[in-house]
Amino acid sequence: MDKNQKLKSLNEKWTAECVCELKKTATQAVPGVGSANAEIVFIGEAPGRSEDKQGEPFVGAAGKFLNEMLNLIGIKREDIYITNIVKYRPPNNRDPLPEEKAACREWLLTELQIISPKLIIFLGRHAMNNFFPDLQISGAHGKLLIKQFKNMPTKYFFPLYHPAAALYDGSMREILINDFKKIPEVLRRIEKEKIETGV
Ligand code: URA
């Protein structure tokens, strides 16, 4: 099985078997989309109204802003992979509960293991705190984090503010765009470090 087939069967398996309570109120599952060979995986929080309707992550207003920022740095959306920590829309877009995040955790980790990206980018504090519970997004955004977790295919993580939070807040928007522009340099730094250390 190639990586695309593995991802497809993973998403089919979990869509059928996930026991998350959110399944009861959501329209459908919103699995990750994009390239199985992506160098970068973006992880958001949870699907919103548009995503719940269309069954795809980041297709609403936050997704349009994300597309604009990808354009700005010359990265095509089809070359990356985008997913969420929780695959079902929480009622009225409330924050996902710890048990809802836990129910989707294995799904997310297996996606990451199949893709094995060079870099994981967190969109917002929920995604970041799922892996780094003690960090504050106000201090960690735009900084490369290096940590080797058990069963994680990459040790490079880059937290950003969530595009939905920055959409209508001028100063946060500027910070997010500036952080986003650092991504090509972050990728070069990872490449250099891999060559120098051999891992
Ligand atoms: N916000 C998220 O965190 N994920 C989506 O898919 C859409 C909006």
Side-chain angles (χ1 to χ4, degrees):
M1 246 202 267
D2 72 13
K3 279 182 168 195
N4 278 300
Q5 289 165 326
K6 279 188 190 164
L7 265 182
K8 189 167 174 278
S9 72
L10 174 83
N11 288 333
E12 282 169 3
K13 170 187 144 66
W14 275 97
T15 300
E17 293 174 12
C18 185
V19 290
C20 179
E21 279 292 303
L22 295 173
K23 212 173 175 174
K24 294 180 184 158
T25 48
T27 307
Q28 57 187 320
V30 181
V33 289
S35 169
N37 298 304
E39 283 194 336
I40 309 175
V41 171
F42 285 81
I43 306 178
E45 177 185 336
R49 185 196 291 273
S50 310
E51 291 75 22
D52 178 65
K53 235 188 208 165
Q54 297 183 44
E56 259 203 48
F58 285 96
V59 289
K64 293 205 174 75
F65 183 29
L66 180 64
N67 292 348
E68 278 172 37
M69 290 187 288
L70 286 169
N71 270 338
L72 209 62
I73 58 168
I75 294 181
K76 294 198 189 80
R77 183 145 162 160
E78 57 266 33
D79 292 337
I80 58 161
Y81 187 84
I82 310 181
T83 192
N84 283 304
I85 48 174
V86 161
K87 311 298 199 243
Y88 293 90
R89 182 191 184 204
N92 300 316
N93 296 349
R94 66 153 168 75
D95 290 349
L97 302 172
E99 57 270 29
E100 293 159 356
K101 295 181 200 171
C104 278
R105 193 168 169 86
E106 198 186 325
W107 187 348
L108 174 64
L109 289 182
T110 317
E111 279 177 292
L112 298 175
Q113 282 156 3
I114 292 171
I115 300 166
S116 191
K118 203 184 265 183
L119 176 66
I120 291 175
I121 298 186
F122 301 126
L123 295 171
R125 69 185 168 92
H126 286 282
M128 180 186 75
N129 289 149
N130 209 30
F131 294 88
F132 295 89
D134 300 329
L135 291 184
Q136 304 277 333
I137 193 71
S138 54
H141 72 86
K143 293 183 186 139
L144 182 65
L145 306 173
I146 305 178
K147 183 170 175 181
Q148 188 70 68
F149 289 92
K150 201 168 154 253
N151 298 328
M152 273 293 269
T154 180
K155 56 179 180 171
Y156 300 102
F157 305 88
F158 193 59
L160 297 176
Y161 280 122
H162 195 292
L167 202 51
Y168 306 111
D169 177 321
S171 60
M172 208 189 275
R173 190 182 168 96
E174 203 180 316
I175 295 171
L176 175 55
I177 292 172
N178 282 335
D179 286 347
F180 220 91
K181 287 183 186 161
K182 295 179 191 168
I183 294 172
E185 180 52 36
V186 167
L187 286 172
R188 281 193 288 275
R189 186 177 150 197
I190 294 170
E191 206 45 56
K192 190 163 169 266
E193 200 179 288
K194 281 188 161 181
I195 292 166
E196 281 169 6
T197 61
V199 281

